[in-house]
């Protein structure tokens, strides 16, 4: 039998807002304090992830924070001609204060404030929950530019994002502001079904992991949001039951899987071997497990 509308409606509710907001503002104030080693630098602190996109659920309400250094940047020049690449290299010099310097200083600030609650992970600096403070992940990044034109520093075109490095030294570039803005636009175009449906799918994922239908980690929230971003808005309509069935059937029967885009529209959604793409086998596994959960409820 299908999952009842009442259960889906419960799953559609947003997780903690007040606690998440308080956590973000407290950590933001710490990062922006005038006493930090980087206080004189040009940087920005902003949200990304589920809470920032209003798709957080009660079971997983971590606060994802980006602190981005704008005094230096990394670039993708693949779309430029040889002449444009030469002009680019002549226009900029190497930074004297690098991402590694910035991450070291941010880590020291957080450790001084939160002590042993702070742990430097593969990609982010984690701050454990404590009392009313929710668990948080701080991504230390620099500005990233994907160039499409470069004649001079004042005559260029690029898409702006963030980039950071994992523990293996691999550069990871992403576009959280485009992800958020595009997701909101599609949410509005779907008569505001998309974001509640993202929360439904995240809760379904949690139930499927608990039931052993899928392994933990194969369906990150970022990619579930990307999957729903591609669903035709006329399939998100009427009821949560209809939305779930329409989405699963669309993916299984109609979707051109190699053409699906991440919500930021800078990467394809389904590709193997990329930090910023979802292996199709994992997406397929999620969808088939969701069908099983639905049919055997």
């Amino acid at each position: 039998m299908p999952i009842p509308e009442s259960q889906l409606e419960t799953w559609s509710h947003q997780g903690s807002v007040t606690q998440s907001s308080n956590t973000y503002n407290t950590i933001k104030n710490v990062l922006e304090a005038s006493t930090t080693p980087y206080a004189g630098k040009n940087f920005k602190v902003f949200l990304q992830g589920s809470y920032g996109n209003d798709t957080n659920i009660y079971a997983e309400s971590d606060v994802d924070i980006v602190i981005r250094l704008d005094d230096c940047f990394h670039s993708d020049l693949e779309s430029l001609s040889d002449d444009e690449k030469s002009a680019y290299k002549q226009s900029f010099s190497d930074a004297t204060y690098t991402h590694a310097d910035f991450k070291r200083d941010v880590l020291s600030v957080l450790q001084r404030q939160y002590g042993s609650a702070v742990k430097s992970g593969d990609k982010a600096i984690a701050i454990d929950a404590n009392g009313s403070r929710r668990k948080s992940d701080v991504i230390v990044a620099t500005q990233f530019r994907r160039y499409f034109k470069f004649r001079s520093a004042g005559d260029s075109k690029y898409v702006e994002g963030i980039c950071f490095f994992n523990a293996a030294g691999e550069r990871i570039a992403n576009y959280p502001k485009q992800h958020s803005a595009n997701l909101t636009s599609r949410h509005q175009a779907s008569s505001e079904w998309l974001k509640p449906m993202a929360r439904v799918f995240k809760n379904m994922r949690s139930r499927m992991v608990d039931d052993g239908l899928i392994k933990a980690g194969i369906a990150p929230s970022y990619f579930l949001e990307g999957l729903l971003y591609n669903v035709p808005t006329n399939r998100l309509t009427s009821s949560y039951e209809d939305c779930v069935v329409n989405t699963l059937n669309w993916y299984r029967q109609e979707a051109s899987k190699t053409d699906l885009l991440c919500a930021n529209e800078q990467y394809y959604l389904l590709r193997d071997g990329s930090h910023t793409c979802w292996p199709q086998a994992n997406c397929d596994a999620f969808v088939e497990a969701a069908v099983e959960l639905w049919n055997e409820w």
Side-chain angles (χ1 to χ4, degrees):
M1 59 179 285
I3 301 172
E5 183 74 9
S6 59
Q7 177 63 74
L8 297 172
E9 197 274 334
T10 296
W11 279 346
S12 75
H13 295 169
Q14 191 172 358
S16 168
V17 174
T18 301
Q19 278 191 338
S20 296
S21 176
N22 291 340
T23 296
Y24 168 62
N25 286 316
T26 299
I27 295 173
K28 185 174 187 285
N29 287 338
V30 170
L31 293 170
E32 292 179 341
S34 61
T35 54
T36 67
Y38 50 83
K41 304 295 182 183
N42 182 25
F43 68 92
K44 294 182 178 68
V45 179
F46 54 91
L47 284 165
Q48 68 168 7
S50 296
Y51 166 62
N53 294 324
D54 306 319
T55 59
N56 55 310
I57 61 175
Y58 286 101
E60 298 176 358
S61 290
D62 293 1
V63 180
D64 297 314
I65 301 168
V66 175
I67 179 167
R68 187 188 71 190
L69 178 67
D70 290 336
D71 283 336
C72 68
F73 57 89
H74 291 80
S75 302
D76 177 351
L77 308 179
E78 289 299 313
S79 296
L80 298 184
S81 68
D82 289 342
D83 287 345
E84 288 175 311
K85 290 176 182 176
S86 178
Y88 171 90
K89 292 173 183 177
Q90 292 173 14
S91 297
F92 300 112
S93 57
D94 290 341
T96 56
Y97 184 78
T98 65
H99 176 267
D101 298 323
F102 189 46
K103 186 171 184 179
R104 176 202 64 217
D105 288 343
V106 170
L107 180 61
S108 72
V109 167
L110 294 175
Q111 288 175 329
R112 185 165 62 246
Q113 180 68 31
Y114 298 110
S116 61
V118 174
K119 298 175 179 64
S120 185
D122 180 47
K123 298 177 183 176
I125 299 171
I127 306 173
D128 292 337
N130 183 22
S132 62
R133 186 181 75 227
R134 302 199 68 84
K135 183 183 181 302
S136 305
D137 287 323
V138 178
I139 292 281
V140 182
T142 66
Q143 190 181 120
F144 186 78
R145 299 177 179 181
R146 176 178 281 174
Y147 278 97
F148 296 96
K149 170 188 172 183
F150 194 97
R151 292 176 182 167
S152 68
D155 185 8
S156 64
K157 290 183 180 179
Y158 59 87
V159 177
E160 182 180 284
I162 68 170
C163 78
F164 54 94
F165 297 83
N166 63 13
E170 298 169 307
R171 187 178 76 185
I172 301 170
N174 219 327
Y175 302 85
K177 292 193 172 184
Q178 289 89 336
H179 176 101
S180 181
N182 291 345
L183 201 68
T184 295
S185 294
R186 192 63 58 89
H187 171 65
Q188 294 166 346
S190 68
S191 300
E192 300 190 347
W193 281 100
L194 191 154
K195 290 188 178 184
M197 276 302 301
R199 298 192 286 268
V200 167
F201 269 49
K202 291 176 187 183
N203 277 297
M204 289 176 66
R205 174 196 59 199
S206 297
R207 181 62 175 264
M208 291 187 291
V209 170
D210 290 344
D211 290 353
L213 296 177
I214 58 172
K215 294 180 180 178
I218 75 159
S221 295
Y222 171 82
F223 293 131
L224 290 180
E225 292 173 6
L227 175 63
L228 283 161
Y229 180 75
N230 287 273
V231 176
T233 54
N234 63 2
R235 310 300 169 88
L236 302 177
T237 182
S238 302
S239 68
Y240 290 112
E241 287 187 342
D242 285 347
C243 287
V244 171
V245 170
N246 290 347
T247 295
L248 298 177
N249 285 341
W250 166 81
Y251 180 81
R252 297 173 92 201
Q253 300 168 11
E254 300 176 48
S256 177
K257 298 178 178 59
T258 58
D259 295 330
L260 303 183
L261 297 175
C262 288
N264 59 37
E265 296 198 350
Q266 300 301 311
Y267 297 117
Y268 287 108
L269 178 67
L270 303 178
R271 293 291 188 275
D272 293 338
S274 169
H275 291 291
T276 50
C277 303
W278 197 6
Q280 185 178 329
N282 289 355
C283 183
D284 291 347
F286 169 82
V287 169
E288 294 309 312
V291 171
E292 184 176 352
L293 181 72
W294 182 270
N295 289 334
E296 298 185 6
W297 189 262

